C-alpha cells in the first residue's frame, strides 16, 4: 500500500486503498468486542455546529457526569468561533470530491458483493456505483461517534489491514449481525432489543401461505402479513448530490479507518440529480435540511471528528435499542352492499 500525508489537501492518483503515516492506535484499541455493559461508553460529540440548545440537551441526557451549563456554553462558544473561521478559510472544501474507480485487483470482491440481494435490491433507485472515496472530503451528518465501538472496530481491523479486510469492513456482504433478543410480550405485542443503533422496523410484507415452510398452520391460511424488524444493509454508502458527497451510512467504520491512517475506502455511491431523488435515498437527517449539507460553504465533514477544537469527548451511559411491535385485529360483520 502507498502512504501519503494525513492532510486532506494532498492527492494520490493511484486507485488503491491508501494508508497515511499516522501513529498506531493505542493498545486499548486492540481488544475484543466490549462486553461490560454496566460500564460507561465514551462518546465524541461535535460541538459548535449544532444549536447550543441541542448541545446542552445531549450532554444533560447522556453524560455520566455532566458539567455545568456554563462550562458547556463556554466550550460551545469556543468551538463555534472555530466553525466560523473554517467557514471563511475552507469555504468550498466539500465541493468536487474525487471519486475513483475500483481497480482490477478488487474485481473478485466486487463480483461477490454484487451478488448480494441487498445490494441489487437496496441500491437500484438511482444510478449507483461502488467506488473509492476520500474520507476527509466526506460531508457527515452524524454529530457523535461511539468511541468504545470505534475502538473495537479498530481492533478487528488490526494495525495494518489488507485491502480485502478494508473492503469487507466497508461492504460486509456476509452481513455479520449484532446481538439481538426478542420475545412476545403479550398476545399482540413483540419486543426486540439490541446494543446496535441499527435495529429498526423494516416494514410489512404480504406473504402467500405457500411461502411459509416448517411451521404448522393454525388453520386453512389464505394470507400472512409479516412485520419485519432487523438491521439495515449496513454498507458504507454515500449520496453524491450537487457536487458533494454525503456519507449516508458507515460513520463509525469511516472514523475507525481514518484513525488507523486509511485515507481512501470503498463505498457504495448513489448519484442523485434532483432534490426529489435525494428525498428517495438520503437519510431523514439529510432530507430534513438538505441545504445544510449541500449549500453551506463549510458543512460538517468527517475530518472534523479529529479536530480537538470541534469536539467534546465524554463518558456516556450505555443504552440498548428497543423496538416494540404491536398489531390490532378487528373482526366484525358489515352490511351486504
Amino acid at each position: 500500500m502507498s502512504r501519503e500525508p494525513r492532510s486532506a489537501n494532498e492527492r494520490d492518483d493511484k486507485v488503491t486503498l491508501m494508508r497515511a503515516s499516522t501513529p498506531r492506535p493505542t493498545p486499548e484499541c486492540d481488544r475484543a468486542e466490549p462486553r461490560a455493559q454496566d460500564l460507561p461508553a465514551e462518546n465524541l460529540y461535535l460541538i459548535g455546529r449544532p444549536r447550543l440548545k441541542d448541545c446542552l440537551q445531549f450532554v444533560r441526557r447522556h453524560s455520566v457526569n455532566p458539567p455545568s451549563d456554563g462550562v458547556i456554553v463556554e466550550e460551545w462558544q469556543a468551538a463555534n468561533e472555530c466553525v466560523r473561521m473554517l467557514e471563511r478559510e475552507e469555504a468550498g472544501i466539500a465541493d468536487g470530491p474525487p471519486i475513483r474507480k475500483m481497480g482490477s485487483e478488487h474485481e473478485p470482491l466486487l463480483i461477490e458483493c454484487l451478488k448480494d440481494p441487498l445490494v441489487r435490491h437496496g441500491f437500484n433507485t438511482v444510478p449507483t456505483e461502488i467506488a473509492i472515496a476520500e474520507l476527509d472530503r466526506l460531508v457527515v451528518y452524524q454529530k457523535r461517534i461511539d468511541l468504545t465501538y470505534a475502538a473495537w472496530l479498530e481492533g478487528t481491523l488490526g494495525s495494518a489491514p489488507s485491502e480485502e479486510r478494508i473492503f469487507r469492513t466497508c461492504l460486509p456482504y456476509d452481513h455479520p449481525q449484532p446481538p439481538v433478543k426478542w420475545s412476545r410480550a403479550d398476545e399482540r405485542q413483540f419486543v426486540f432489543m439490541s446494543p446496535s443503533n441499527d435495529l429498526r422496523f423494516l416494514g410489512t410484507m404480504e406473504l402467500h401461505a405457500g411461502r411459509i415452510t416448517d411451521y404448522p398452520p393454525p388453520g386453512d391460511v389464505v394470507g400472512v402479513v409479516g412485520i419485519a424488524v432487523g438491521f439495515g444493509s449496513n454498507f458504507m454508502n454515500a449520496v453524491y448530490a450537487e457536487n458533494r458527497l454525503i456519507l449516508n451510512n458507515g460513520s463509525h467504520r469511516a472514523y475507525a479507518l481514518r484513525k488507523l491512517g486509511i485515507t481512501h475506502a470503498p463505498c457504495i455511491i448513489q448519484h442523485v440529480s434532483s432534490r426529489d431523488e435525494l428525498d428517495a435515498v438520503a437519510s431523514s437527517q439529510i432530507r430534513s435540511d438538505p441545504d445544510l449539507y449541500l449549500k453551506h460553504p463549510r458543512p460538517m465533514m468527517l475530518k472534523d471528528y479529529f479536530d480537538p477544537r470541534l469536539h467534546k469527548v465524554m463518558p456516556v451511559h450505555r443504552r440498548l435499542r428497543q423496538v416494540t411491535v404491536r398489531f390490532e385485529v378487528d373482526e366484525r360483520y358489515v352490511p351486504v352492499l
Side-chain angles (χ1 to χ4, degrees):
M1 291 188 185
S2 301
R3 295 178 179 269
E4 66 176 34
R6 181 171 178 146
S7 170
N9 295 323
E10 297 293 331
R11 299 291 179 267
D12 193 320
D13 295 330
K14 295 181 179 180
V15 183
T16 184
L17 306 178
M18 310 304 297
R19 170 170 299 282
S21 55
T22 53
R24 187 186 186 279
T26 56
E28 66 178 0
C29 297
D30 299 326
R31 55 178 176 169
E33 184 174 6
R35 297 179 181 178
Q37 299 298 327
D38 56 330
L39 298 177
E42 196 172 42
N43 268 204
L44 177 152
Y45 185 75
L46 291 179
I47 58 175
R49 214 175 272 278
R51 296 182 306 170
L52 174 59
K53 178 181 178 181
D54 295 338
C55 183
L56 287 166
Q57 188 177 71
F58 176 84
V59 175
R60 290 169 184 163
R61 288 183 176 179
H62 298 277
S63 178
V64 174
N65 299 301
S68 67
D69 287 357
V71 171
I72 301 172
V73 170
E74 289 181 2
E75 292 178 346
W76 183 90
Q77 289 173 337
N80 186 254
E81 289 180 7
C82 182
V83 168
R84 302 304 172 207
M85 179 188 67
L86 291 175
E87 289 176 359
R88 297 188 301 270
E89 296 180 353
E90 296 186 351
I93 193 174
D95 298 335
I99 298 175
R100 299 171 181 161
K101 301 294 183 182
M102 302 291 292
S104 58
E105 68 273 18
H106 302 118
E107 187 173 347
L109 294 169
L110 281 171
I111 292 173
E112 290 301 313
C113 185
L114 293 173
K115 291 179 182 179
D116 189 335
L118 291 181
V119 174
R120 295 200 309 271
H121 301 297
F123 296 92
N124 59 3
T125 304
V126 297
T128 302
E129 65 175 329
I130 297 178
I132 295 177
E134 184 179 347
L135 297 179
D136 282 342
R137 299 289 296 279
L138 292 173
V139 176
V140 298
Y141 68 85
Q142 290 277 12
K143 298 180 180 67
R144 65 169 170 165
I145 294 292
D146 183 339
L147 296 178
T148 305
Y149 176 57
W152 174 76
L153 283 172
E154 290 179 53
T156 62
L157 282 161
S159 60
S162 65
E163 294 190 4
E164 179 179 356
R165 183 61 178 166
I166 294 172
F167 186 99
R168 290 181 178 273
T169 297
C170 296
L171 305 174
Y173 49 83
D174 53 344
H175 303 293
Q177 194 175 91
V180 61
K181 291 185 178 180
W182 64 284
S183 64
R184 189 169 194 157
D186 57 39
E187 184 179 357
R188 296 177 183 177
Q189 178 173 296
F190 293 82
V191 177
F192 299 75
M193 297 188 72
S194 173
S196 171
N197 293 329
D198 192 41
L199 184 69
R200 68 185 74 174
F201 169 62
L202 296 177
T204 59
M205 300 175 289
E206 299 176 7
L207 303 175
H208 297 293
R211 295 180 179 176
I212 308 299
T213 61
D214 300 324
Y215 191 86
D220 189 6
V221 178
V222 296
V224 177
V225 177
I227 303 175
V229 175
F231 303 98
S233 59
N234 205 29
F235 299 121
M236 187 182 294
N237 69 83
V239 174
Y240 185 81
E242 300 179 24
N243 205 32
R244 289 185 176 179
L245 196 56
I246 308 174
L247 188 60
N248 208 30
N249 185 42
S251 296
H252 284 84
R253 280 167 291 166
Y255 175 89
L257 288 167
R258 192 64 189 91
K259 190 169 185 291
L260 287 172
I262 309 300
T263 60
H264 295 67
C267 182
I268 296 177
I269 298 176
Q270 300 179 89
H271 293 264
V272 168
S273 61
S274 68
R275 291 291 176 97
D276 287 333
E277 291 182 355
L278 185 73
D279 285 341
V281 301
S283 68
S284 59
Q285 290 93 329
I286 298 171
R287 297 196 308 266
S288 65
D289 191 1
D291 283 348
L292 181 63
Y293 307 98
L294 298 175
K295 298 299 183 184
H296 196 282
R298 175 52 168 86
M300 291 191 302
M301 302 182 72
L302 188 131
K303 69 174 188 171
D304 293 348
Y305 294 139
F306 300 94
D307 189 334
R309 301 171 299 172
L310 299 176
H311 70 241
K312 178 179 180 62
V313 175
M314 70 191 92
V316 298
H317 297 287
R318 290 184 183 274
R319 297 190 177 192
L320 294 176
R321 173 79 168 171
Q322 177 176 306
V323 177
T324 301
V325 175
R326 302 182 183 88
F327 64 93
E328 294 183 2
V329 176
D330 184 11
E331 299 177 335
R332 67 177 69 186
Y333 290 101
V334 297
V336 176
L337 297 178

